[in-house]
Structure formats: structure tokens, C-alpha cells
Amino acid sequence: MNLNNLEDLKEEMKKLGFGDKLIAKMEEHMKNDDPAFKLYDDVKVNRGQVDITLHFKQSGQSDFYYLNKLEAVHNQGRALEEGQKYMVVTKTEEGKNVVKKLENVAEAIGFFKEQKGNSELAVGKDAASKVMLANMEEGKINYVAKDFSREFYAPPLPQTFWLDHGKGFSKEQAANLVQGRSVYRDDLLSRDGNPYKAWMQLDTDKERDRQNNLTFRQFTDAYGYDVKAILGEYRIKEMADPKKAQALETSLLNGNRPMVTVEKDGQETKVYLETSVRYGKLNFYAENGKPEKREQFQKETGLEAGNSFAKKAEKGKDKEVGQGIGV
């Protein structure tokens, strides 16, 4: 195992937002000299969880490993509890049960459907505490749990994010993108090699490309969406504290949906905040997920600022592009 390569990959993993446990698993695969391997992680979200898969491959000319891509998929069903895994229990001809544990629902469903005999797809911490999600007898599926049927028959498609020596969308950013939110990148390169900055959002209005990925809609700085200025249009308590204001801005730039404090009906209220880059706005949501009218939280100067954005937007360009090297 090349120790310089290991150190470089550790730095790449940390930069992308992955923890020590996953890094230790990577090192174990490298010690075993596995030619290719996958690592799995997840992000718990408001609806279900986002499954993350990292793809590693060893060079054909040396012992160097490369982290080439990250796949993210939003599974809106029930999120796994701590210690739980998916498992496929298959009965052999000798009557023994063979248990294969899988890290995410898409791979678990795929492996289960490949079985030919008697098999069960379940979830749990171990075989003794498993809960059946689907069942198969003699190669035919005869049961799918009602609350699992949507995932089973129409599993969500993963989105691939290409990586270049640790440069690309982080775990946090990828999870937010597949939930439909926008992420700001200040390290992008055009096809001509020129650096630029832009808000990125997956375009669900278009068909997927040849690699079955959604393309990106981009909003460059010329489009005029200044998240710091737009935050200043609203009466948000955290904006009075410079450190909290900076943390809030950073969170929105990474595509998060942070909780903030506003005043509603004379009382302080917690709401979720989300960027709406295309329309030059911020969206507000109650704790139960229902939309709130943004106008009730807006300062008197908000209209003027909104008109300023509209003028900038007329000059800017909404570019719709596929994934390039910088993405």
C-alpha cells in the first residue's frame, strides 16, 4: 500500500465531509489490495435519508487508488435506525439460510430481485430482529409491505457527481442537490478552462442524459442572486449577530435548510429557510413543513431590494449545462 496515496485520499475524504470510520474502511480495503471497492454513508433528512456511495478504483499501472465519483440518491421512505441494515435472506437447497447484508435500499432491492428460489428482503440490526419488507417463493415475489411498495416498484435513481482529487460536490452538498435545493460553487471551470462561480441546481424538468443523470441548471454571479443581501431583506433574529449571520449564509450556500428565528403574530417563531435562486427569493417553512408567506417577515426595504435583483437578473443568464470536469 502506498502511504502517500493513503494520506492524499484521507485528505480528500475529509475535505468532502466524510468521517473517520469511513476513512478507516477505505484504508482496510487498500491494505487488502482490492482492485475496486465501494464505501457507503447516509444523511438523515426531513423525508427519509440520502444514501451516499463512494467509488474507488486502483490504477492498472500502479498501486495507486483513485476516488472517482460519488453517487447520491434520496430515499423518501423510512430512514434506517442506528445499527440497522438491509438484508436478503436466501434459503439454499440444503435448507440453510444465507444472509447477505447490504448498505442501501437500491442495492438491496436489486440483489433481492436477482434471486431465483425462496428469499426474503428485510431490515434490522441482525437476522433475529429483522422486519420483512418483501418475500419471494420459487423465484416469484408474493409479498411487498404496503409502506415499502413505492420504493420497491419505483426506486429513486442515483445522481452521479464526478470527483477530481477531492474537488467536487461534498457529501453535504450532494445530499442537498438530490433533495432539489441549490448549491453555490466558487471553484468551477468552463470548458475553456476559465474559473467562474455559480449556483447549481439539478434540472428535473429535463430528461436524464445517457449516463442516466440529471443535468445542471446554473445561475452565475451575473444572474444577481446575492444571498447575503437577500437575507438582509428579512427580519431574521440571527442576522443581528455577525457570527450567526455568517454561519447562516454559509449554510445556505451549501444548500442546507437551516432553522431561523422570526416574529409572527407578535411572538418569536422558528421556521426553516431555503434559497429560491431562480426567482431571487427566500422560501420560509413552518416546523411541520408547510410554506409560510415570506412577505410577513420582510422589511419595508425588501421591495426595493427585490426590484434590484430583477434588474440584475435581466442581464444575467440562466445557463443549463451538463456535468463537466469542474462539476
Side-chain angles (χ1 to χ4, degrees):
M1 179 176 63
N2 189 297
L3 295 181
N4 290 116
N5 182 213
L6 174 63
E7 288 302 312
D8 288 343
L9 286 173
K10 283 183 176 180
E11 287 301 314
E12 289 180 24
M13 291 276 283
K14 289 178 181 178
K15 184 178 178 181
L16 292 168
F18 295 96
D20 292 338
K21 288 184 178 180
L22 207 64
I23 291 173
K25 289 182 180 180
M26 174 191 71
E27 184 172 357
E28 185 178 343
H29 280 287
M30 292 176 69
K31 285 180 179 178
N32 293 336
D33 203 31
D34 297 327
F37 61 91
K38 299 177 185 179
L39 295 179
Y40 302 92
D41 206 346
D42 63 72
V43 179
K44 300 296 187 289
V45 297
N46 289 337
R47 290 184 297 172
Q49 68 182 40
V50 175
D51 291 324
I52 306 288
T53 305
L54 293 172
H55 293 255
F56 293 81
K57 191 173 183 179
Q58 191 177 44
S59 169
Q61 286 75 42
S62 69
D63 58 354
F64 267 63
Y65 283 89
Y66 298 94
L67 172 53
N68 294 320
K69 63 180 179 179
L70 177 160
E71 287 181 341
V73 58
H74 184 196
N75 293 304
Q76 299 186 38
R78 183 182 62 182
L80 290 181
E81 298 174 7
E82 185 69 29
Q84 283 190 332
K85 297 209 181 277
Y86 292 100
M87 62 188 79
V88 176
V89 183
T90 304
K91 184 164 289 188
T92 66
E93 294 180 356
E94 293 77 22
K96 295 181 179 181
N97 287 332
V98 176
V99 180
K100 182 176 178 63
K101 293 184 178 180
L102 298 113
E103 299 284 346
N104 65 55
V105 67
E107 292 195 355
I109 292 172
F111 182 77
F112 172 73
K113 289 180 177 179
E114 291 174 356
Q115 304 310 301
K116 305 298 181 184
N118 296 333
S119 189
E120 177 186 344
L121 173 59
V123 64
K125 295 183 178 180
D126 51 46
S129 63
K130 64 182 172 63
V131 175
M132 186 169 66
L133 300 174
N135 191 66
M136 175 189 295
E137 288 186 3
E138 297 181 358
K140 294 183 178 181
I141 298 168
N142 63 358
Y143 173 79
V144 177
K146 289 183 179 179
D147 60 355
F148 187 66
S149 59
R150 178 181 175 183
E151 292 173 88
F152 187 81
Y153 292 112
L157 296 172
Q159 178 74 24
T160 300
F161 300 95
W162 298 101
L163 303 170
D164 182 20
H165 296 90
K167 181 180 178 181
F169 289 107
S170 67
K171 167 186 169 180
E172 176 185 39
Q173 292 171 337
N176 287 326
L177 283 166
V178 296
Q179 292 179 80
R181 297 199 284 272
S182 301
V183 166
Y184 186 76
R185 288 279 300 273
D186 60 4
D187 59 350
L188 297 170
L189 291 175
S190 69
R191 293 183 179 180
D192 298 328
N194 297 316
Y196 70 100
K197 304 173 184 179
W199 287 91
M200 308 290 289
Q201 184 179 34
L202 292 173
D203 192 348
T204 56
D205 294 332
K206 287 190 172 183
E207 293 184 2
R208 290 178 175 259
D209 63 17
R210 293 179 180 179
Q211 286 75 42
N212 220 11
N213 287 308
L214 294 170
T215 56
F216 277 99
R217 175 182 283 126
Q218 291 189 6
F219 303 90
T220 66
D221 283 355
Y223 191 71
Y225 190 84
D226 184 342
V227 68
K228 183 176 182 178
I230 294 175
L231 279 168
E233 297 178 26
Y234 298 91
R235 296 187 301 275
I236 298 171
K237 184 177 181 180
E238 286 75 9
M239 293 300 291
D241 183 326
K243 289 185 178 179
K244 291 182 179 179
Q246 180 60 54
L248 177 57
E249 181 184 347
T250 300
S251 183
L252 290 171
L253 288 170
N254 282 320
N256 290 312
R257 198 186 211 194
M259 181 174 279
V260 297
T261 310
V262 295
E263 186 176 305
K264 181 180 179 182
D265 300 328
Q267 294 183 333
E268 284 193 354
T269 304
K270 295 290 187 180
V271 295
Y272 289 107
L273 195 59
E274 185 177 295
T275 60
S276 178
V277 179
R278 188 176 186 181
Y279 301 104
K281 304 289 185 181
L282 289 173
N283 291 331
F284 293 79
Y285 299 90
E287 290 190 65
N288 61 9
K290 291 184 178 180
E292 292 274 9
K293 291 183 178 180
R294 67 175 68 88
E295 290 79 10
Q296 64 186 316
F297 311 126
Q298 204 165 20
K299 295 177 181 177
E300 292 180 2
T301 56
L303 182 60
E304 296 175 7
N307 289 336
S308 175
F309 165 79
K311 292 177 181 178
K312 290 181 181 179
E314 289 178 3
K315 298 179 181 179
K317 293 183 179 180
D318 174 3
K319 297 193 297 182
E320 300 178 0
V321 299
Q323 294 183 350
I325 294 176
V327 175

